Amino acid sequence: MVPKRLVLATAIFGLSITAQFVDNTYIWPNDETDLLEHMLYEHSGYHVNSPASFVVPCGNVPFGKGRSGPAEWLRTAYHDMANADVPSGKGGIDASIGFELDRDENPVGGCSGGKVVIPFRGGRIDATGPGARGVPKPEESLDSHVAAFERQGFTKDEMIGLVACGHTLGGVHGVDFPEIVDVVNNTSEDDNTQMFDTTIEGETAFDNKVATEFVSNNTQNPLAFGHNATTRSDGRIFNADGGALITKMAASNDFFLDTCRDLLERMTNTVPRTVRLGKPIGIIPVKPSSLYATIVPHTGKMNVTGFVRLISRKNSWDADPSRKVKIHFRPRSGSCSKSKYLVVEAGEFSWSRSLYHQGGFPYFKKYQFAQEIPISRGVSGFDVEVIDTTDGSTTSTMHTNGGKGFPFNDAVVTQPGLTCNGQKDDGLFNLTVAVRDDAKLGSVKARIQLPRPLDALVPRITDMMVDLKRVGGVPGANYTLFNVRQRLPVGTYTFTYDLIASNGTHTEKRVFNDVTEIKACHRD
């Protein structure tokens, strides 16, 4: 188990569900939410790594002819939650679906244009094996469906709404359910899919058409009016209250979307009782990344580099041409007076943005900085000054991360020039770390968070602990280098690692280091 990290449970929901607000109370860093925030809000541009590419635009179909990526993720999310037993506190959103794909209940194979925005909470914990069975099947009775949804924590009316929300996207694949949909085309080329409604394609596919077509008795939904009366589960469910709720959802698309927003949030937050979810993840207004300190031999200096991500004021990649960003480095030792801070101007480097362009989500501007700093002085952190000029008026705002600055620990630092990632070649991860001598940390380990394949599209995450060996000092720097050359499975393009250095009584950590910007290794 990898507690409270970005793993399969969160990846399931990071695709088309996000929160629309800026979190001005956030203190950086937070390893439980930082990568989640990045994946929720940054989908295109520099250094992005988001599953949103699977579902935006809504008609995106990466899984084959007749399949809908967004619909399959939404269905996967419900099937993962469906074994929840709320009274007993077991099951729910725990990624156990990855171990359950051999069951006949799970043949698992951005769509509202920003209108359905659901807060997402971190702190989820992946299951390490399959959970109980519990996904309702189309051939079951209405009483059986009502009982199943009550076990999951939903009333009869909420069952009706949740099924309608889930079936506004996608359809039934004949290759998986030939008893529901006739197989007429070659299954090697076509999944023989029959859609739930007539708006599967396009940016506005998440709409109430599944309800309006049912109420008008003019629908292609195979679970409502299919040729097999036994498997018409949608028809039985939509009429469970005499058709009152589905009629209301058909009458107003706004009501339909509001209902879906509430119910899908409830579904997303159905987790095992032992899991404690955090607050909704908002946009971090000032966010550092890719922080390194390269120890330069024979100079007594280190070269500190990194990026700062800011929100674009005019929501455009070419906005804010007059903005200036200055980094105020706080020393590790010596006077902490602000007048003693080293200041360097960061240059605009690149941008990133959300793909949910109709939801008012922002563009981000990324500013890069580099500064040589005497090792005797060191770095304990930095403040970020943002200077904006609008209509001839200049304002300066100092961001101090809650008053203590954005922390930077120069006791244990990865050396990017001596580190490389060979996952696209022979699997070599060659990691070199510099440890400051006066920290007296003789043991250095790396905990690698490594994706492992499952039958599901998203892997499970396992930990690999490796020891780094002392390889010598850095001349004139009072730093010692530690190295490990570890072979990892080829093709593992994205992973993270923690650094843990200790001396038996004291431990220093640098957690959740990303390998995205690490250069590729060449064959020996």
Side-chain angles (χ1 to χ4, degrees):
M1 182 185 302
V2 184
K4 299 192 177 181
R5 291 196 179 276
L6 176 67
V7 282
L8 181 54
T10 50
I12 285 176
F13 289 104
L15 304 170
S16 57
I17 300 173
T18 185
Q20 188 178 7
F21 54 87
V22 175
D23 187 352
N24 289 303
T25 65
Y26 172 84
I27 302 297
W28 186 87
N30 184 326
D31 63 305
E32 294 181 9
T33 62
D34 283 352
L35 186 53
L36 283 173
E37 188 265 2
H38 164 70
M39 298 180 80
L40 285 169
Y41 296 108
E42 294 184 76
H43 310 145
S44 176
Y46 183 72
H47 276 179
V48 298
N49 174 30
S50 175
S53 60
F54 288 109
V55 297
V56 181
C58 189
N60 188 19
V61 185
F63 306 121
K65 184 179 180 180
R67 306 189 77 96
S68 166
E72 298 207 6
W73 279 111
L74 184 57
R75 181 168 183 247
T76 298
Y78 172 72
H79 279 233
D80 188 46
M81 186 279 303
N83 65 3
D85 188 333
V86 172
S88 69
K90 297 179 180 179
I93 296 296
D94 59 3
S96 63
I97 187 72
F99 302 94
E100 300 162 0
L101 298 186
D102 58 342
R103 299 175 180 175
D104 59 359
E105 66 186 28
N106 290 324
V108 171
C111 297
S112 70
K115 295 178 182 177
V116 178
V117 180
I118 299 173
F120 181 76
R121 300 172 184 266
R124 301 163 193 275
I125 300 176
D126 274 6
T128 56
R133 292 180 179 269
V135 179
K137 299 179 181 179
E139 65 269 20
E140 293 179 15
S141 68
L142 177 60
D143 287 343
S144 176
H145 281 97
V146 171
F149 277 86
E150 286 180 347
R151 168 177 50 78
Q152 299 160 15
F154 297 95
T155 65
K156 181 191 293 185
D157 280 355
E158 290 168 341
M159 171 189 70
I160 296 168
L162 195 55
V163 170
C165 297
H167 289 176
T168 182
L169 301 173
V172 178
H173 309 299
V175 68
D176 296 325
F177 297 99
E179 72 279 12
I180 301 176
V181 173
D182 291 331
V183 177
V184 296
N185 297 324
N186 186 337
T187 57
S188 66
E189 300 176 353
D190 191 334
D191 282 338
N192 292 264
T193 302
Q194 184 170 335
M195 301 302 181
F196 290 124
D197 65 31
T198 59
T199 58
I200 181 61
E201 300 293 338
E203 290 288 338
T204 59
F206 199 103
D207 57 23
N208 68 340
K209 188 63 69 90
V210 68
T212 61
E213 292 179 353
F214 178 81
V215 171
S216 66
N217 204 33
N218 179 23
T219 179
Q220 63 186 41
N221 184 348
L223 296 182
F225 297 103
H227 65 79
N228 188 342
T230 304
T231 57
R232 294 175 186 168
S233 55
D234 279 13
R236 292 188 289 271
I237 289 172
F238 292 163
N239 284 321
D241 64 347
L245 181 59
I246 198 69
T247 299
K248 191 174 180 180
M249 296 179 82
S252 169
N253 191 57
D254 288 341
F255 175 78
F256 179 90
L257 296 178
D258 289 343
T259 300
C260 292
R261 181 183 301 109
D262 294 341
L263 291 175
L264 291 175
E265 182 178 3
R266 285 264 309 283
M267 182 184 77
T268 302
N269 293 335
T270 301
V271 294
R273 184 176 294 163
T274 54
V275 173
R276 295 291 179 265
L277 298 180
K279 66 180 183 179
I281 298 173
I283 297 172
I284 300 170
V286 180
K287 186 178 184 181
S289 65
S290 304
L291 302 180
Y292 291 103
T294 298
I295 310 304
V296 185
H298 306 293
T299 65
K301 294 181 179 181
M302 63 175 71
N303 187 28
V304 180
T305 59
F307 292 90
V308 172
R309 189 199 74 186
L310 302 176
I311 298 172
S312 172
R313 289 185 299 164
K314 297 182 180 179
N315 205 23
S316 171
W317 69 269
D318 60 352
D320 313 309
S322 61
R323 171 184 280 173
K324 292 184 178 180
V325 177
K326 294 183 178 181
I327 309 300
H328 296 245
F329 289 101
R330 298 183 178 213
R332 167 180 19 94
S333 59
S335 173
C336 286
S337 169
K338 291 184 178 180
S339 63
K340 301 295 184 181
Y341 288 6
L342 287 176
V343 181
V344 60
E345 185 166 328
E348 184 176 323
F349 180 81
S350 190
W351 57 274
S352 63
R353 68 180 181 92
S354 167
L355 294 176
Y356 310 122
H357 54 85
Q358 295 180 6
F361 298 96
Y363 276 79
F364 298 101
K365 307 299 286 289
K366 297 187 176 182
Y367 299 82
Q368 186 178 34
F369 61 86
Q371 176 67 38
E372 277 200 341
I373 294 177
I375 290 173
S376 59
R377 176 189 183 94
V379 179
S380 65
F382 55 89
D383 300 334
V384 177
E385 182 183 9
V386 179
I387 303 170
D388 285 311
T389 301
T390 304
D391 298 329
S393 176
T394 299
T395 60
S396 174
T397 304
M398 187 71 75
H399 299 273
T400 63
N401 197 40
K404 297 183 178 180
F406 296 90
F408 185 91
N409 183 347
D410 65 4
V412 183
V413 285
T414 296
Q415 298 302 282
L418 302 175
T419 298
C420 64
N421 174 22
Q423 294 311 295
K424 295 181 181 180
D425 192 354
D426 61 358
L428 175 67
F429 180 43
N430 186 3
L431 173 63
T432 300
V433 174
V435 178
R436 204 174 68 240
D437 291 344
D438 63 6
K440 299 180 180 180
L441 302 168
S443 171
V444 182
K445 299 178 183 291
R447 181 189 292 116
I448 302 172
Q449 288 85 37
L450 192 64
R452 297 289 190 179
L454 284 171
D455 290 336
L457 177 63
V458 180
R460 63 190 173 110
I461 306 297
T462 59
D463 277 358
M464 175 187 291
M465 187 72 80
V466 296
D467 292 307
L468 280 72
K469 296 182 179 179
R470 186 190 303 266
V471 294
V474 181
N478 296 319
Y479 271 85
T480 298
L481 297 179
F482 291 76
N483 174 266
V484 64
R485 295 166 62 88
Q486 181 66 42
R487 298 286 176 179
L488 302 175
V490 176
T492 309
Y493 299 134
T494 301
F495 61 91
T496 59
Y497 63 96
D498 300 340
L499 295 175
I500 305 112
S502 64
N503 58 13
T505 60
H506 176 67
T507 299
E508 295 277 359
K509 294 182 179 181
R510 291 287 298 272
V511 301
F512 229 36
N513 301 283
D514 194 357
V515 299
T516 303
E517 65 272 12
I518 295 294
K519 68 179 184 294
C521 294
H522 299 291
R523 285 188 181 273
D524 296 337

